[in-house]
């Protein structure tokens, strides 16, 4: 995580600030900026969000050059000393870093022996201390020492260029004769540049207003293809909403509309046909966090449709499982950002083993999308809130489409019908429930079958933004451990959408009630009054067709998490300790 940016041109502070605001989804522990003005560095640093840095800035319209950073802390506490940019010992070179330097302890020991002093605890400062001056030769010398992941942007007091390096963390560069830029995300170029270069691992070089010079990992000078900035980054405002999260929950409907339109197009049909022609005898579904849960839903769809083994895996655990990947493996990677380091490294591993690589992502220019044989876009539009909502909804829909197409059936009409039925739940019921939920320090979710997956995602949402301890159990597993924690201080949210499983789930709910637990039912089933009386709350969710019921159900549960976070006084868009894009393993 962390976002880095560098800019040469007029209004340096303003352009860097705008970039930082766009990169803030990558971390918001601290933010900093260094500008070279007439051969001297001017530095601004602030802990917390970019808005704190903004308050300290002195804007200058003149020509200049600078680098900036927004941090998600990995090494060293959140304080000004650890805030980027970091500097060489002689103060001549300033650097911003995204990634993790794995051998930083060894390098630090070496540099300390040479008498170098460290003002902070970050691995990034160690890289800065490897420099005294900045040119391609010294960059190469330092790169030879580094192990780990790093996207770097560097400036020096005596140089007219920004130097850059990319290894396992994303980096893009662009220039147009009057300005130049490097950034972790090409969205920073929108409104400034119209074309950009995408760096591959091991590439490095320098850029100024007039030229870009690139080298590959073998130190050979290379020419690179330029890409047109053809995507529109609509900088969504909260218009009409208090937070992005609640707006994005409601935008699930727009995502569905976008999907219906895009998935009618030949471009997508051809991708689906290509997928249908693949021969495979196993499917692996890989992701992290919410994207992993979307994979679980995908597994649920695919298993119902095919007689083939489907394995759903958390990316960070994948490599420890000795899974058998070969050219008969269909490997599907789910990632909103398309940059999650763990997901990306499994993708590279599966690619090397000959697996067929398919991705489902919201970011069509991302590394995961670029490395895939087929990339299915989720058409959800920019998702700004850290806790993923509309992207989950859209990822699950893409699994529905893939499964339905592979079965040879039409998916457009069922999606259109679902669009008409979508229900976001009744705020007059959800808000009082949220008011009640904040009184507790833990909340459990239970469900069976697909409802267990929804329980997992609902529980993740709640803990991410309310900081209330929460976990999801399969209803049947409760009695094998978790029931020991149940007493009158524990609310349990029961999710029930499957008629056939309801009686079993109900029995599990009664086991909780007998031990004094509070019962909250989220259901789309018709339930008798005397059964309802056993529950402290009953939230009735509109019924829709079976394949979409779990997607219908997640919407009010996302809203419950949102309203509970508001009750707690938290900012649901930027929960503590989290980041939207996790580019470190
Ligand atoms: C972070 C985000 C989650 C997201 C996960 C995977 O933890 O906070 O919301 O689900 O990363 O991200 P991806 O971009 O790969 O979907």
């Amino acid at each position: 995580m962390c976002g880095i940016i560098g800019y040469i041109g007029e209004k340096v502070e303003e352009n860097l600030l705008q970039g930082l605001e766009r990169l803030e989804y990558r971390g918001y522990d601290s933010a900093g900026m260094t500008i070279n003005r007439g051969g001297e560095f001017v530095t601004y640093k602030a802990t917390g969000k970019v808005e704190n840095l903004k308050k300290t800035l002195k804007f200058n319209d003149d020509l200049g050059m600078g680098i900036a950073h927004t941090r998600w802390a990995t090494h060293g506490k959140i304080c000004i000393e650890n805030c980027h940019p970091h500097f060489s010992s002689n103060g001549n070179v300033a650097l911003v870093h995204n990634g993790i330097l794995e051998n930083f302890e060894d390098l630090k020991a070496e540099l300390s022996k040479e008498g170098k002093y460290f003002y902070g605890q970050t691995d990034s400062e160690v890289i800065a201390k490897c420099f005294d001056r900045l040119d391609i030769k010294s960059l190469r010398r330092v790169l030879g020492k580094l192990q780990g992941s790093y996207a770097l942007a560097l400036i020096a007091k005596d140089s007219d260029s920004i130097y850059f390096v990319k290894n396992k963390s994303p980096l893009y560069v662009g220039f147009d004769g009057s300005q130049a830029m490097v950034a972790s995300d090409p969205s920073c170029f929108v409104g400034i540049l119209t074309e950009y270069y995408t760096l591959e691992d091991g590439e490095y070089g320098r850029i100024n207003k007039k030229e870009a010079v690139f080298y590959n990992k073998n130190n050979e000078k290379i020419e690179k293809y330029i890409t047109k900035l053809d995507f529109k980054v609509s900088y969504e405002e909260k218009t009409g909403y208090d937070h992005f999260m609640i707006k994005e929950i409601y935008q699930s409907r727009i995502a569905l509309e976008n999907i219906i339109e895009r998935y009618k197009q030949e471009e997508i049909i051809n991708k689906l046909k290509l997928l249908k022609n693949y021969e495979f005898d196993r499917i692996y579904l890989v992701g992290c966090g919410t994207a992993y849960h979307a994979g679980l839903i995908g597994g649920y769809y695919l298993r119902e449709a095919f007689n083939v083994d489907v394995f759903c895996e958390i990316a960070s655990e994948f490599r420890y499982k000795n899974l058998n990947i070969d050219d008969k493996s269909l490997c599907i990677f789910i990632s909103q950002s398309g940059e999650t380091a763990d997901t990306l490294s499994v993708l590279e591993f599966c690619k090397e083993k000959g697996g067929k690589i398919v991705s489902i992502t919201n970011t069509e220019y991302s590394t995961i999308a670029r490395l895939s044989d087929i990339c299915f876009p989720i058409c959800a539009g920019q998702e700004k809130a850290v806790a993923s909502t509309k992207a989950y909804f859209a990822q699950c829909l893409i699994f529905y489409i893939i499964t339905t197409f592979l079965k040879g059936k039409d998916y457009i009409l069922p999606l259109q019908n679902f669009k008409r039925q979508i229900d976001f739940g009744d705020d007059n019921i959800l808000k009082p429930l949220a008011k009640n939920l904040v009184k507790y320090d833990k909340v459990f979710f239970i469900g069976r079958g697909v409802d267990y997956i929804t329980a997992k995602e609902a529980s993740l949402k709640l803990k991410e933004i309310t900081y209330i301890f929460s976990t999801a159990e399969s209803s049947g597993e409760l009695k094998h451990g978790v029931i020991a924690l149940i007493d009158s201080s524990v609310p349990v949210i029961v999710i029930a959408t499957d008629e056939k499983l309801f009686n079993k789930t109900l029995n599990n709910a009664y086991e909780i009630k007998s031990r004094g637990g509070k019962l909250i039912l989220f259901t789309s089933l018709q339930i008798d009054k005397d059964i309802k009386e056993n529950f402290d709350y009953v939230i009735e969710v509109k019924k829709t067709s079976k394949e979409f019921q779990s997607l219908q159900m997640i919407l009010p549960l996302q809203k419950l998490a949102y309203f509970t976070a508001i009750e707690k006084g938290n900012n649901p868009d930027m929960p503590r300790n989290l980041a939207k894009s996790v580019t470190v393993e």
Side-chain angles (χ1 to χ4, degrees):
M1 355 245 281
C2 299
I4 68 170
I5 180 165
Y7 179 76
I8 304 175
E10 288 171 356
K11 301 189 178 180
V12 186
E13 291 85 352
E14 196 180 311
N15 284 316
L16 287 176
L17 178 68
Q18 175 180 279
L20 284 183
E21 283 166 347
R22 293 177 186 180
L23 292 175
E24 202 171 15
Y25 71 89
R26 302 175 74 88
Y28 34 82
D29 287 334
S30 64
M33 191 184 284
T34 293
I35 318 288
N36 180 347
R37 286 218 178 274
E40 286 306 320
F41 282 160
V42 184
T43 295
Y44 304 92
K45 292 187 177 185
T47 52
K49 302 199 174 101
V50 172
E51 65 189 23
N52 297 347
L53 179 75
K54 188 176 175 180
K55 288 180 201 145
T56 71
L57 292 179
K58 291 194 181 68
F59 292 90
N60 184 328
D61 288 354
D62 299 347
L63 212 64
M65 164 165 61
I67 52 175
H69 184 272
T70 179
R71 179 171 187 237
W72 186 81
T74 57
H75 298 67
K77 59 183 197 280
I78 300 160
C79 60
I80 291 294
E81 289 74 23
N82 290 333
C83 178
H84 297 223
H86 290 296
F87 300 94
S88 60
S89 293
N90 62 8
N92 182 41
V93 181
L95 145 169
V96 284
H97 170 216
N98 165 215
I100 289 188
L101 182 65
E102 282 163 11
N103 59 334
F104 87 101
E105 302 275 21
D106 293 348
L107 276 179
K108 193 169 181 175
E110 233 173 74
L111 292 162
S112 298
K113 268 195 218 146
E114 289 169 19
K116 296 215 164 154
Y117 164 75
F118 291 85
Y119 47 75
Q121 298 88 42
T122 63
D123 52 338
S124 313
E125 188 193 343
V126 176
I127 308 178
K129 292 291 185 308
C130 291
F131 287 92
D132 288 317
R133 59 203 181 90
L134 188 59
D135 51 31
I136 288 294
K137 205 170 145 206
S138 40
L139 186 59
R140 258 184 217 150
R141 180 185 56 80
V142 174
L143 289 184
K145 299 180 181 202
L146 308 184
Q147 289 166 17
S149 57
Y150 42 86
L152 300 173
L154 306 105
I155 55 172
K157 289 180 179 173
D158 54 0
S159 166
D160 70 345
S161 298
I162 297 174
Y163 286 72
F164 54 80
V165 185
K166 180 230 186 291
N167 192 45
K168 295 185 190 154
S169 293
L171 197 63
Y172 305 85
V173 302
F175 72 106
D176 69 359
S178 65
Q179 46 191 352
M181 209 166 183
V182 311
S184 302
D185 183 333
S187 67
C188 295
F189 302 148
V190 176
I192 298 176
L193 296 173
T194 53
E195 295 176 319
Y196 66 92
Y197 299 94
T198 302
L199 297 179
E200 302 300 337
D201 284 346
E203 290 180 352
Y204 63 96
R206 66 177 176 81
I207 191 159
N208 57 33
K209 288 185 296 179
K210 299 268 165 6
E211 60 168 354
V213 182
F214 300 103
Y215 297 89
N216 64 15
K217 57 181 173 204
N218 303 321
N219 299 324
E220 295 153 346
K221 211 169 180 178
I222 51 166
E223 295 292 322
K224 285 188 69 70
Y225 293 112
I226 199 149
T227 310
K228 245 197 153 25
L229 192 70
D230 65 353
F231 66 98
K232 278 202 184 74
V233 180
S234 59
Y235 282 95
E236 299 268 7
E237 295 305 326
K238 289 180 213 153
T239 18
Y241 294 89
D242 292 336
H243 298 95
F244 284 105
M245 182 175 173
I246 188 70
K247 182 173 183 183
E248 288 164 7
I249 292 171
Y250 284 110
Q251 283 179 332
S252 296
R253 190 201 297 273
I254 299 175
L256 172 53
E257 285 166 5
N258 294 344
I259 287 172
I260 293 173
E261 281 319 304
R262 182 99 184 254
Y263 278 72
K264 282 179 192 164
Q265 311 291 325
E266 207 181 324
E267 160 228 358
I268 297 283
I269 311 269
N270 287 341
K271 289 184 181 188
L272 288 165
K273 283 183 182 159
L274 189 62
L275 179 59
K276 200 171 186 170
N277 284 335
Y278 280 173
E279 275 177 32
F280 55 86
D281 59 15
R282 268 153 298 145
I283 305 178
Y284 295 96
L285 305 175
V286 186
C288 300
T290 289
Y292 165 67
H293 292 159
L296 293 176
I297 294 280
Y300 180 83
Y301 283 137
L302 289 162
R303 273 187 213 101
E304 285 230 319
F306 301 104
N307 188 16
V308 45
D309 285 333
V310 182
F311 303 92
C312 301
E313 303 294 338
I314 294 172
S316 58
E317 286 296 314
F318 192 94
R319 70 191 70 177
Y320 313 121
K321 289 198 161 179
N322 275 328
L323 294 163
N324 180 21
I325 311 293
D326 57 24
D327 60 352
K328 287 277 160 28
S329 313
L330 175 63
C331 309
I332 307 185
F333 297 88
I334 311 111
S335 175
Q336 189 284 130
S337 63
E339 298 293 350
T340 302
D342 286 315
T343 311
L344 184 55
S345 75
V346 180
L347 186 154
E348 285 165 343
F349 170 80
C350 294
K351 208 174 166 78
E352 232 178 76
K353 297 269 179 191
K356 298 180 170 70
I357 311 295
V358 172
S359 60
I360 296 178
T361 179
N362 203 20
T363 319
E364 291 177 65
Y365 58 82
S366 63
T367 314
I368 287 180
R370 285 203 314 275
L371 294 179
S372 303
D373 300 317
I374 309 176
C375 168
F376 290 106
I378 66 167
C379 315
Q382 190 190 19
E383 192 179 60
K384 284 192 103 171
V386 166
S388 185
T389 54
K390 62 176 177 176
Y392 173 77
F393 187 85
Q395 286 157 351
C396 296
L397 287 172
I398 303 307
F399 274 114
Y400 166 77
I401 292 178
I402 290 176
T403 312
T404 313
F405 183 86
L406 294 182
K407 284 197 293 188
K409 295 196 173 151
D410 168 49
Y411 50 79
I412 296 292
L413 195 64
L415 288 173
Q416 281 166 337
N417 290 338
F418 179 38
K419 192 185 96 185
R420 278 191 288 276
Q421 289 162 350
I422 283 193
D423 176 24
F424 290 88
D426 184 349
D427 290 5
N428 293 324
I429 298 172
L430 292 170
K431 281 183 179 171
L433 175 57
K435 231 185 183 82
N436 204 322
L437 228 46
V438 283
K439 296 182 198 145
Y440 297 95
D441 61 5
K442 51 182 175 294
V443 177
F444 291 103
F445 289 78
I446 62 166
R448 264 176 197 268
V450 74
D451 293 334
Y452 174 42
I453 306 172
T454 308
K456 278 171 172 283
E457 176 55 14
S459 168
L460 177 62
K461 257 348 59 144
L462 189 80
K463 74 183 132 213
E464 276 181 309
I465 59 171
T466 66
Y467 320 140
I468 295 174
F469 174 82
S470 169
T471 184
E473 282 295 324
S474 70
S475 310
E477 190 64 12
L478 200 69
K479 55 189 168 296
H480 299 295
V482 171
I483 204 158
L485 300 172
I486 301 294
D487 60 25
S488 59
S489 70
V490 184
V492 179
I493 297 183
V494 182
I495 300 172
T497 65
D498 190 333
E499 194 91 59
K500 285 193 257 118
L501 302 179
F502 184 61
N503 282 342
K504 282 186 200 286
T505 300
L506 195 59
N507 289 336
N508 300 135
Y510 290 160
E511 288 157 15
I512 293 162
K513 194 174 169 69
S514 335
R515 285 152 184 91
K518 302 269 173 299
L519 282 179
I520 300 157
L521 178 65
F522 274 72
T523 187
S524 53
L525 305 171
Q526 287 282 339
I527 294 180
D528 294 345
K529 192 165 164 278
D530 50 335
I531 294 181
K532 281 186 192 165
E533 277 164 6
N534 290 295
F535 290 85
D536 297 272
Y537 284 88
V538 177
I539 286 82
E540 291 177 301
V541 178
K542 214 163 150 187
K543 198 172 170 61
T544 177
S545 59
K546 186 172 171 266
E547 56 272 32
F548 300 124
Q549 197 59 65
S550 59
L551 299 190
Q552 170 62 85
M553 181 55 86
I554 197 63
L555 300 171
L557 286 162
Q558 290 170 341
K559 279 172 72 182
L560 178 66
Y562 172 79
F563 290 138
T564 312
I566 300 299
E567 282 297 329
K568 283 205 83 173
N570 298 349
N571 175 355
D573 288 344
M574 289 187 170
R576 70 180 182 205
N577 305 340
L578 299 179
K580 182 111 193 108
S581 178
V582 182
T583 55
V584 292
E585 288 185 18

